[in-house]
Amino acid sequence: MAQTMRPNAASNNGLFATDGKTHPLQDTLLAVTLVLGLLAFITGLLSHSLHLLSSWAGLAGILTGAYGQWISVTTRERFGLILGLGASAIGFFLGMAHGGLFGGLIS
C-alpha cells in the first residue's frame, strides 16, 4: 500500500491524468484535430454546398487525430483527440454524402 502514501503530482496539473511534462507536438495535434473536427462537423451540417470543405477538413482531422492518438501520452490528450476524431468523422461522412471530396470538380 505504499502507493497510497505518495503525493499525486498529476492532480495539480490538470483535469485529467498527466505526467507533469509538456508535450508541445501532442498538444498541437490535439488543437488541430479539434479545430478541423469542429469545422468539418459544422460545415457538414449547415449546407450541401460546403461538402468540399467538410469532407477535406474531416479527412485531415481524421489523419491528424489518428497520428495524435498514436503518439499521445496522457489521458487528457487522448480524450480530446477522440472528440476531435468523432467530429471529423461525422463531418467527413456528411461531406461524402453531399458530394464527396471531388464532387462537382470532375465531370
XYZ file of all heavy atoms in Angstrom:
778
model
N 0.806 -1.192 0.000
C 0.000 0.000 0.000
C 0.848 1.255 0.000
O 0.393 2.300 0.420
C -0.930 0.021 1.207
C -1.964 -1.063 1.214
S -2.983 -0.934 -0.196
C -4.488 -0.343 0.367
N 2.055 1.160 -0.463
C 2.931 2.318 -0.495
C 2.425 3.393 -1.436
O 2.673 4.571 -1.227
C 4.341 1.893 -0.892
N 1.689 3.007 -2.466
C 1.220 3.995 -3.420
C 0.191 4.946 -2.807
O 0.008 6.043 -3.291
C 0.650 3.330 -4.669
C -0.629 2.552 -4.450
C -0.389 1.113 -4.051
O 0.707 0.748 -3.670
N -1.426 0.299 -4.129
N -0.479 4.544 -1.753
C -1.445 5.441 -1.125
C -0.776 6.556 -0.347
O -1.407 7.566 -0.069
C -2.382 4.660 -0.186
O -1.598 4.029 0.812
C -3.180 3.637 -0.954
N 0.477 6.402 -0.021
C 1.187 7.408 0.754
C 1.913 8.416 -0.129
O 2.319 9.451 0.343
C 2.198 6.730 1.689
C 1.552 5.783 2.695
S 0.270 6.583 3.671
C 1.269 7.633 4.695
N 2.067 8.100 -1.410
C 2.763 9.033 -2.304
C 1.851 10.185 -2.688
O 0.678 9.983 -2.968
C 3.204 8.309 -3.582
C 4.416 7.492 -3.389
C 4.921 7.006 -4.734
N 5.188 5.589 -4.573
C 4.932 4.666 -5.469
N 4.374 4.994 -6.608
N 5.217 3.418 -5.249
N 2.382 11.395 -2.752
C 1.557 12.511 -3.219
C 1.303 12.365 -4.717
O 2.172 11.929 -5.464
C 2.400 13.748 -2.908
C 3.798 13.250 -2.824
C 3.712 11.821 -2.346
N 0.139 12.745 -5.127
C -0.235 12.654 -6.532
C 0.102 13.967 -7.219
O -0.653 14.925 -7.143
C -1.720 12.326 -6.663
C -2.107 12.035 -8.084
O -1.266 12.017 -8.978
N -3.388 11.799 -8.302
N 1.229 14.002 -7.889
C 1.665 15.235 -8.565
C 0.798 15.539 -9.768
O 0.665 16.677 -10.179
C 3.123 15.102 -9.000
N 0.183 14.524 -10.348
C -0.626 14.736 -11.546
C -1.901 15.512 -11.245
O -2.421 16.204 -12.096
C -0.972 13.394 -12.172
N -2.424 15.415 -10.035
C -3.683 16.093 -9.729
C -3.535 17.613 -9.719
O -4.522 18.322 -9.817
C -4.222 15.609 -8.385
O -3.331 15.983 -7.354
N -2.344 18.121 -9.624
C -2.131 19.566 -9.606
C -1.972 20.157 -10.999
O -1.923 21.366 -11.138
C -0.885 19.897 -8.789
C -1.016 19.445 -7.358
O -2.116 19.386 -6.838
N 0.099 19.119 -6.732
N -1.895 19.312 -12.030
C -1.563 19.812 -13.357
C -2.729 19.871 -14.319
O -2.568 20.316 -15.428
C -0.460 18.948 -13.972
C 0.829 19.082 -13.220
O 1.109 20.142 -12.683
N 1.598 18.021 -13.150
N -3.875 19.409 -13.961
C -4.974 19.493 -14.894
C -6.139 18.622 -14.486
O -6.140 17.983 -13.433
N -7.127 18.601 -15.343
C -8.344 17.872 -15.066
C -8.143 16.369 -15.172
O -8.675 15.611 -14.368
C -9.430 18.331 -16.041
C -10.810 17.739 -15.885
C -11.360 18.053 -14.507
C -11.723 18.281 -16.952
N -7.384 15.927 -16.150
C -7.174 14.503 -16.365
C -5.758 14.114 -15.969
O -4.930 14.946 -15.664
C -7.428 14.145 -17.832
C -8.821 14.456 -18.249
C -9.090 15.502 -19.095
C -9.873 13.697 -17.783
C -10.384 15.792 -19.475
C -11.171 13.979 -18.152
C -11.429 15.033 -19.005
N -5.496 12.830 -15.998
C -4.181 12.330 -15.623
C -3.126 12.895 -16.570
O -3.256 12.841 -17.781
C -4.169 10.812 -15.671
N -2.082 13.437 -16.009
C -0.991 13.970 -16.796
C 0.309 13.639 -16.078
O 0.316 13.350 -14.890
C -1.132 15.494 -17.002
O -0.023 15.951 -17.752
C -1.197 16.235 -15.694
N 1.378 13.649 -16.804
C 2.659 13.286 -16.202
C 3.462 14.496 -15.742
O 4.591 14.361 -15.308
C 3.475 12.439 -17.175
C 3.718 13.135 -18.489
O 3.203 14.247 -18.682
O 4.410 12.549 -19.338
N 2.903 15.684 -15.838
C 3.585 16.879 -15.376
C 4.605 17.430 -16.343
O 5.302 18.385 -16.030
N 4.693 16.859 -17.529
C 5.643 17.324 -18.545
C 4.885 18.010 -19.670
O 3.695 17.800 -19.846
C 6.427 16.135 -19.111
C 7.222 15.390 -18.071
C 7.880 14.172 -18.678
C 8.551 13.343 -17.599
N 8.996 12.052 -18.102
N 5.606 18.821 -20.433
C 4.993 19.462 -21.586
C 5.099 18.539 -22.796
O 6.094 17.827 -22.966
C 5.678 20.803 -21.902
O 7.062 20.568 -22.175
C 5.552 21.761 -20.730
N 4.065 18.577 -23.610
C 4.024 17.777 -24.833
C 3.555 18.687 -25.971
O 2.386 18.645 -26.363
C 3.065 16.595 -24.680
C 3.374 15.718 -23.518
N 4.401 14.810 -23.537
C 2.809 15.621 -22.299
C 4.440 14.181 -22.385
N 3.488 14.664 -21.600
N 4.442 19.525 -26.510
C 4.001 20.511 -27.498
C 3.471 19.886 -28.790
O 2.478 20.381 -29.337
C 5.248 21.351 -27.764
C 6.392 20.562 -27.246
C 5.856 19.655 -26.198
N 4.083 18.824 -29.283
C 3.595 18.210 -30.514
C 2.220 17.597 -30.303
O 1.306 17.791 -31.118
C 4.586 17.138 -31.003
C 4.155 16.358 -32.250
C 3.961 17.284 -33.427
C 5.161 15.273 -32.569
N 2.037 16.890 -29.208
C 0.753 16.259 -28.935
C -0.337 17.308 -28.702
O -1.473 17.132 -29.163
C 0.855 15.334 -27.717
C 1.657 14.088 -27.977
C 3.149 14.269 -27.745
O 3.645 15.375 -27.614
N 3.869 13.171 -27.700
N 0.011 18.387 -28.007
C -0.969 19.446 -27.771
C -1.335 20.156 -29.068
O -2.491 20.540 -29.269
C -0.437 20.447 -26.752
C -0.353 19.854 -25.352
O -1.025 18.834 -25.096
O 0.387 20.417 -24.518
N -0.372 20.333 -29.960
C -0.654 20.943 -31.255
C -1.569 20.053 -32.083
O -2.532 20.523 -32.699
C 0.656 21.214 -32.021
O 1.484 22.060 -31.223
C 0.391 21.866 -33.359
N -1.284 18.753 -32.118
C -2.143 17.824 -32.843
C -3.549 17.786 -32.252
O -4.541 17.682 -32.985
C -1.527 16.423 -32.845
C -0.303 16.238 -33.729
C 0.341 14.882 -33.468
C -0.665 16.377 -35.191
N -3.644 17.890 -30.944
C -4.944 17.927 -30.281
C -5.728 19.153 -30.730
O -6.901 19.050 -31.106
C -4.757 17.937 -28.762
C -5.974 18.208 -27.898
C -7.041 17.160 -28.109
C -5.571 18.291 -26.446
N -5.095 20.309 -30.711
C -5.774 21.547 -31.103
C -6.181 21.511 -32.575
O -7.311 21.889 -32.938
C -4.873 22.745 -30.834
N -5.291 21.045 -33.448
C -5.592 20.977 -34.875
C -6.741 20.008 -35.131
O -7.651 20.294 -35.921
C -4.324 20.589 -35.674
C -4.657 20.234 -37.107
C -3.313 21.719 -35.626
N -6.720 18.867 -34.465
C -7.791 17.885 -34.645
C -9.126 18.438 -34.182
O -10.151 18.251 -34.851
C -7.457 16.592 -33.882
O -6.216 16.084 -34.353
C -8.534 15.549 -34.079
N -9.146 19.126 -33.045
C -10.393 19.707 -32.556
C -10.924 20.792 -33.498
O -12.123 20.846 -33.784
C -10.204 20.271 -31.153
C -10.124 19.242 -30.033
C -9.749 19.922 -28.716
C -11.425 18.490 -29.886
N -10.036 21.645 -34.004
C -10.463 22.714 -34.915
C -10.981 22.125 -36.224
O -12.050 22.516 -36.720
C -9.308 23.715 -35.161
C -9.625 24.642 -36.311
C -9.026 24.506 -33.893
N -10.251 21.168 -36.795
C -10.698 20.542 -38.038
C -11.991 19.766 -37.831
O -12.874 19.753 -38.698
C -9.612 19.619 -38.590
C -8.395 20.306 -39.188
C -7.311 19.284 -39.508
C -8.767 21.091 -40.426
N -12.120 19.113 -36.685
C -13.349 18.386 -36.389
C -14.552 19.297 -36.284
O -15.617 19.010 -36.829
N -14.390 20.411 -35.576
C -15.487 21.383 -35.481
C -15.829 21.972 -36.844
O -17.005 22.120 -37.186
C -15.114 22.496 -34.505
C -15.301 22.180 -33.033
C -14.741 23.303 -32.171
C -16.763 21.960 -32.720
N -14.813 22.312 -37.611
C -15.040 22.863 -38.946
C -15.785 21.865 -39.823
O -16.770 22.211 -40.489
C -13.701 23.250 -39.590
C -13.761 23.781 -41.010
C -14.462 25.134 -41.037
C -12.367 23.885 -41.590
N -15.344 20.617 -39.840
C -15.981 19.602 -40.668
C -17.406 19.328 -40.204
O -18.321 19.209 -41.022
C -15.156 18.316 -40.631
N -17.606 19.229 -38.908
C -18.926 18.936 -38.369
C -19.918 20.053 -38.670
O -21.031 19.810 -39.141
C -18.820 18.700 -36.861
C -20.112 18.296 -36.216
C -20.614 17.021 -36.387
C -20.821 19.191 -35.441
C -21.808 16.643 -35.797
C -22.013 18.827 -34.842
C -22.513 17.551 -35.020
N -19.509 21.286 -38.420
C -20.413 22.422 -38.614
C -20.724 22.631 -40.089
O -21.878 22.821 -40.477
C -19.826 23.693 -37.964
C -19.859 23.541 -36.443
C -20.589 24.941 -38.383
C -19.098 24.601 -35.693
N -19.704 22.581 -40.945
C -19.964 22.776 -42.367
C -20.716 21.595 -42.974
O -21.466 21.767 -43.931
C -18.658 23.016 -43.153
O -17.772 21.922 -42.934
C -18.006 24.307 -42.737
N -20.538 20.408 -42.426
C -21.302 19.258 -42.912
C -22.776 19.374 -42.571
O -23.637 18.905 -43.326
N -23.088 19.988 -41.443
C -24.484 20.154 -41.040
C -25.157 21.350 -41.707
O -26.360 21.329 -41.940
C -24.574 20.324 -39.526
C -24.326 19.092 -38.678
C -24.384 19.457 -37.199
C -25.330 18.003 -38.976
N -24.394 22.397 -42.008
C -25.001 23.644 -42.464
C -25.540 23.596 -43.883
O -26.655 24.031 -44.133
C -23.990 24.792 -42.358
C -23.717 25.315 -40.962
C -22.710 26.440 -41.009
C -24.995 25.784 -40.310
N -24.747 23.115 -44.799
C -25.135 23.270 -46.199
C -24.576 22.144 -47.053
O -23.464 21.668 -46.833
C -24.621 24.612 -46.715
O -24.845 24.740 -48.086
N -25.362 21.768 -48.055
C -24.882 20.766 -49.011
C -23.775 21.336 -49.889
O -22.934 20.599 -50.385
C -26.032 20.287 -49.900
C -27.075 19.521 -49.164
N -26.870 18.234 -48.736
C -28.320 19.860 -48.771
C -27.942 17.810 -48.111
N -28.844 18.782 -48.113
N -23.774 22.643 -50.088
C -22.776 23.250 -50.970
C -21.389 23.335 -50.337
O -20.416 23.612 -51.032
C -23.235 24.651 -51.384
O -23.328 25.475 -50.245
N -21.292 23.080 -49.045
C -19.994 23.114 -48.369
C -19.379 21.723 -48.234
O -18.515 21.494 -47.395
C -20.146 23.745 -46.981
C -20.571 25.205 -46.952
C -20.826 25.659 -45.528
C -19.522 26.077 -47.607
N -19.808 20.794 -49.096
C -19.331 19.416 -48.969
C -17.837 19.278 -49.219
O -17.189 18.416 -48.622
C -20.109 18.485 -49.902
C -19.917 18.769 -51.349
N -18.900 18.205 -52.075
C -20.618 19.565 -52.193
C -18.985 18.637 -53.326
N -20.003 19.462 -53.420
N -17.263 20.118 -50.079
C -15.814 20.036 -50.307
C -15.050 20.403 -49.041
O -14.112 19.705 -48.646
C -15.395 20.963 -51.453
C -15.756 20.499 -52.852
C -15.435 21.581 -53.868
C -15.023 19.229 -53.180
N -15.468 21.475 -48.388
C -14.807 21.912 -47.160
C -14.981 20.886 -46.049
O -14.013 20.521 -45.368
C -15.351 23.275 -46.724
C -14.771 23.862 -45.449
C -13.262 24.058 -45.588
C -15.466 25.160 -45.103
N -16.188 20.384 -45.868
C -16.425 19.443 -44.770
C -15.727 18.109 -45.011
O -15.188 17.517 -44.072
C -17.922 19.237 -44.553
O -18.534 18.653 -45.672
N -15.707 17.626 -46.240
C -15.067 16.330 -46.492
C -13.544 16.426 -46.374
O -12.909 15.547 -45.779
C -15.485 15.767 -47.845
O -15.147 16.642 -48.890
N -12.946 17.486 -46.891
C -11.486 17.609 -46.793
C -11.043 17.931 -45.371
O -10.036 17.402 -44.889
C -10.956 18.655 -47.765
C -10.856 18.120 -49.154
C -11.665 18.411 -50.211
C -9.897 17.169 -49.635
N -11.274 17.702 -51.312
C -10.186 16.937 -50.997
C -8.837 16.490 -49.059
C -9.447 16.060 -51.784
C -8.097 15.613 -49.845
C -8.397 15.404 -51.179
N -11.785 18.796 -44.684
C -11.448 19.095 -43.287
C -11.631 17.853 -42.423
O -10.826 17.582 -41.524
C -12.314 20.235 -42.761
N -12.674 17.079 -42.697
C -12.887 15.839 -41.964
C -11.781 14.830 -42.200
O -11.299 14.187 -41.255
N -11.356 14.690 -43.440
C -10.271 13.760 -43.748
C -8.972 14.193 -43.080
O -8.259 13.363 -42.485
C -10.076 13.648 -45.263
C -9.015 12.669 -45.742
C -9.345 11.249 -45.295
C -8.877 12.739 -47.244
N -8.668 15.478 -43.132
C -7.456 15.984 -42.475
C -7.542 15.805 -40.961
O -6.556 15.440 -40.307
C -7.241 17.453 -42.827
N -8.724 16.022 -40.393
C -8.907 15.824 -38.965
C -8.758 14.373 -38.552
O -8.203 14.066 -37.496
N -9.242 13.466 -39.385
C -9.089 12.035 -39.105
C -7.616 11.648 -39.122
O -7.136 10.923 -38.246
C -9.905 11.196 -40.111
C -11.394 11.374 -39.857
C -9.525 9.722 -40.030
C -12.282 10.804 -40.946
N -6.886 12.134 -40.104
C -5.465 11.784 -40.213
C -4.643 12.377 -39.068
O -3.807 11.684 -38.474
C -4.917 12.235 -41.564
C -5.497 11.507 -42.776
C -4.967 12.114 -44.067
C -5.207 10.018 -42.711
N -4.876 13.658 -38.746
C -4.114 14.251 -37.642
C -4.511 13.639 -36.301
O -3.669 13.434 -35.433
C -4.296 15.779 -37.578
O -5.682 16.081 -37.440
C -3.712 16.460 -38.795
N -5.780 13.321 -36.148
C -6.229 12.689 -34.911
C -5.673 11.283 -34.739
O -5.322 10.874 -33.628
N -5.599 10.544 -35.838
C -5.044 9.190 -35.760
C -3.564 9.232 -35.394
O -3.101 8.448 -34.552
C -5.244 8.468 -37.093
N -2.823 10.146 -35.992
C -1.416 10.271 -35.637
C -1.256 10.757 -34.197
O -0.388 10.298 -33.468
C -0.695 11.214 -36.600
C 0.781 11.334 -36.299
C 1.629 10.248 -36.446
C 1.321 12.530 -35.833
C 2.979 10.345 -36.153
C 2.663 12.646 -35.544
C 3.483 11.551 -35.713
O 4.820 11.654 -35.406
N -2.119 11.681 -33.787
C -2.081 12.158 -32.411
C -2.368 11.046 -31.416
O -1.739 10.968 -30.359
N -3.315 10.163 -31.743
C -3.600 9.021 -30.874
C -2.390 8.097 -30.788
O -2.106 7.527 -29.737
C -4.796 8.220 -31.403
C -6.118 8.795 -31.061
C -6.475 8.617 -29.607
O -5.819 7.946 -28.840
N -7.564 9.256 -29.221
N -1.707 7.952 -31.881
C -0.559 7.049 -31.928
C 0.572 7.528 -31.017
O 1.242 6.721 -30.377
C -0.083 6.927 -33.371
C 0.992 5.932 -33.595
C 1.098 4.687 -33.052
C 2.124 6.092 -34.447
N 2.217 4.059 -33.518
C 2.875 4.904 -34.383
C 2.566 7.118 -35.271
C 4.045 4.723 -35.085
C 3.724 6.925 -35.981
C 4.450 5.735 -35.881
N 0.774 8.853 -30.947
C 1.889 9.368 -30.158
C 1.448 10.015 -28.851
O 2.277 10.575 -28.132
C 2.732 10.378 -30.976
C 1.925 11.628 -31.306
C 3.304 9.731 -32.217
C 2.774 12.746 -31.872
N 0.154 9.956 -28.520
C -0.324 10.606 -27.301
C 0.256 9.947 -26.060
O 0.597 8.771 -26.049
C -1.850 10.577 -27.242
O -2.307 9.262 -27.101
N 0.363 10.746 -25.002
C 0.994 10.299 -23.773
C 0.002 10.274 -22.615
O 0.031 9.367 -21.792
C 2.192 11.213 -23.419
C 2.847 10.799 -22.129
C 3.197 11.208 -24.561
N -0.876 11.246 -22.545
C -1.741 11.376 -21.373
C -3.202 11.132 -21.734
O -3.606 11.187 -22.900
C -1.614 12.776 -20.750
O -2.088 13.733 -21.691
C -0.181 13.083 -20.367
N -4.002 10.922 -20.718
C -5.438 10.721 -20.899
C -6.102 11.979 -21.435
O -7.026 11.906 -22.247
C -6.076 10.323 -19.558
O -5.412 9.155 -19.080
C -7.553 10.044 -19.702
N -5.640 13.130 -20.994
C -6.198 14.403 -21.473
C -6.072 14.516 -22.980
O -7.017 14.896 -23.669
C -5.485 15.575 -20.794
C -5.956 16.946 -21.260
C -5.139 18.047 -20.615
N -3.722 17.945 -20.894
C -3.126 18.465 -21.971
N -3.829 19.124 -22.848
N -1.830 18.341 -22.143
N -4.920 14.174 -23.503
C -4.711 14.238 -24.944
C -5.614 13.242 -25.670
O -6.237 13.585 -26.680
C -3.248 13.934 -25.274
C -2.287 14.964 -24.763
C -0.847 14.481 -24.717
O -0.578 13.310 -25.039
O -0.004 15.300 -24.325
N -5.689 12.036 -25.152
C -6.499 11.011 -25.807
C -7.979 11.370 -25.792
O -8.692 11.134 -26.760
C -6.266 9.656 -25.140
C -4.873 9.142 -25.382
C -4.661 7.769 -24.774
N -3.246 7.437 -24.846
C -2.464 7.285 -23.805
N -2.957 7.404 -22.589
N -1.186 6.991 -23.959
N -8.443 11.938 -24.692
C -9.845 12.325 -24.583
C -10.202 13.385 -25.625
O -11.195 13.260 -26.347
C -10.123 12.845 -23.164
C -11.548 13.237 -22.927
C -12.500 12.270 -22.679
C -11.928 14.564 -22.941
C -13.817 12.618 -22.452
C -13.238 14.926 -22.725
C -14.195 13.953 -22.480
N -9.395 14.432 -25.717
C -9.647 15.479 -26.701
C -9.517 14.985 -28.131
O -10.286 15.384 -29.010
N -8.552 14.109 -28.361
C -8.376 13.572 -29.705
C -9.565 12.727 -30.135
O -9.971 12.764 -31.299
C -7.080 12.758 -29.781
C -5.801 13.585 -29.833
C -4.589 12.707 -29.570
C -5.666 14.287 -31.176
N -10.136 11.972 -29.220
C -11.312 11.165 -29.559
C -12.497 12.058 -29.906
O -13.250 11.785 -30.846
C -11.654 10.194 -28.415
C -10.610 9.094 -28.340
C -13.045 9.604 -28.559
C -10.564 8.193 -29.559
N -12.668 13.152 -29.170
C -13.736 14.092 -29.504
C -13.516 14.698 -30.895
O -14.449 14.797 -31.693
C -13.814 15.199 -28.461
C -14.296 14.795 -27.075
C -14.248 15.996 -26.138
C -15.685 14.221 -27.139
N -12.286 15.123 -31.168
C -11.973 15.683 -32.481
C -12.102 14.668 -33.594
O -12.582 14.986 -34.691
N -11.686 13.432 -33.339
C -11.824 12.371 -34.334
C -13.292 12.085 -34.638
O -13.666 11.884 -35.799
C -11.148 11.087 -33.839
C -9.670 10.952 -34.131
C -9.067 9.821 -33.296
C -9.454 10.682 -35.594
N -14.119 12.049 -33.622
C -15.543 11.805 -33.833
C -16.194 12.897 -34.656
O -16.944 12.624 -35.599
N -15.906 14.147 -34.313
C -16.464 15.272 -35.067
C -15.932 15.281 -36.503
O -16.683 15.547 -37.446
C -16.137 16.588 -34.374
N -14.646 14.957 -36.671
C -14.065 14.900 -38.016
C -14.713 13.805 -38.850
O -15.003 13.998 -40.032
C -12.564 14.646 -37.936
O -11.897 15.722 -37.341
N -14.938 12.658 -38.247
C -15.532 11.540 -38.974
C -16.967 11.853 -39.384
O -17.365 11.582 -40.527
C -15.477 10.276 -38.121
N -17.737 12.430 -38.481
C -19.119 12.780 -38.831
C -19.138 13.827 -39.935
O -19.895 13.706 -40.902
C -19.882 13.263 -37.588
C -20.091 12.088 -36.631
C -21.223 13.878 -37.969
C -20.637 12.481 -35.280
N -18.285 14.857 -39.818
C -18.205 15.862 -40.875
C -17.736 15.282 -42.191
O -18.245 15.633 -43.261
N -16.773 14.373 -42.130
C -16.285 13.714 -43.346
C -17.402 12.911 -44.009
O -17.606 13.002 -45.225
C -15.107 12.802 -42.999
C -14.616 11.973 -44.147
C -13.918 12.555 -45.190
C -14.847 10.611 -44.182
C -13.463 11.792 -46.250
C -14.396 9.839 -45.230
C -13.700 10.436 -46.274
N -18.137 12.134 -43.219
C -19.205 11.318 -43.789
C -20.343 12.169 -44.337
O -20.916 11.844 -45.384
C -19.727 10.313 -42.767
C -18.729 9.254 -42.412
C -18.558 8.848 -41.110
C -17.947 8.653 -43.390
C -17.641 7.868 -40.781
C -17.022 7.674 -43.073
C -16.864 7.279 -41.770
N -20.673 13.259 -43.666
C -21.691 14.162 -44.198
C -21.224 14.806 -45.499
O -21.997 14.941 -46.450
C -22.039 15.240 -43.167
C -22.874 14.789 -41.983
C -22.958 15.899 -40.946
C -24.250 14.364 -42.427
N -19.960 15.206 -45.548
C -19.424 15.772 -46.785
C -19.413 14.765 -47.919
O -19.699 15.098 -49.070
N -19.085 13.526 -47.605
C -19.105 12.478 -48.635
C -20.527 12.215 -49.116
O -20.764 11.987 -50.301
C -18.483 11.189 -48.100
C -16.999 11.297 -47.810
S -16.016 11.751 -49.248
C -16.062 10.223 -50.159
N -21.489 12.262 -48.218
C -22.883 12.036 -48.603
C -23.437 13.177 -49.454
O -24.314 12.959 -50.278
C -23.744 11.855 -47.351
N -22.908 14.367 -49.272
C -23.408 15.525 -50.013
C -22.663 15.792 -51.316
O -22.989 16.734 -52.008
C -23.337 16.786 -49.135
C -24.234 16.724 -47.957
N -24.004 17.454 -46.821
C -25.353 16.016 -47.699
C -24.938 17.210 -45.925
N -25.774 16.317 -46.445
N -21.648 15.022 -51.634
C -20.953 15.243 -52.905
C -19.530 14.757 -52.927
O -18.946 14.640 -53.990
N -18.931 14.519 -51.784
C -17.609 13.925 -51.746
C -16.460 14.894 -51.840
O -16.622 16.103 -51.822
N -15.276 14.290 -51.936
C -14.032 15.061 -51.974
C -13.839 15.833 -53.269
O -13.223 16.890 -53.287
C -12.845 14.120 -51.754
C -12.770 13.439 -50.392
C -11.721 12.331 -50.420
C -12.449 14.434 -49.318
N -14.343 15.292 -54.359
C -14.145 15.922 -55.657
C -15.467 16.220 -56.362
O -15.497 16.430 -57.560
C -13.290 15.036 -56.555
C -11.951 14.708 -55.974
C -11.690 13.461 -55.431
C -10.960 15.665 -55.939
C -10.464 13.163 -54.889
C -9.718 15.373 -55.390
C -9.477 14.114 -54.869
N -16.560 16.217 -55.617
C -17.873 16.438 -56.212
C -17.975 17.775 -56.894
O -17.710 18.809 -56.323
N -18.372 17.759 -58.150
C -18.510 18.993 -58.912
C -17.229 19.431 -59.605
O -17.269 20.251 -60.515
N -16.095 18.888 -59.203
C -14.827 19.266 -59.832
C -14.496 18.359 -61.006
O -13.858 18.778 -61.958
C -13.688 19.207 -58.810
C -13.767 20.175 -57.647
C -12.597 19.971 -56.711
C -13.803 21.594 -58.133
N -14.924 17.111 -60.934
C -14.644 16.145 -62.004
C -15.929 15.884 -62.765
O -16.949 15.522 -62.201
C -14.102 14.824 -61.409
C -12.809 15.087 -60.662
C -13.908 13.798 -62.515
C -12.260 13.892 -59.946
N -15.884 16.105 -64.063
C -17.096 15.920 -64.881
C -17.095 14.592 -65.579
O -16.149 14.060 -65.994
C -17.190 17.022 -65.925
O -17.268 18.259 -65.278
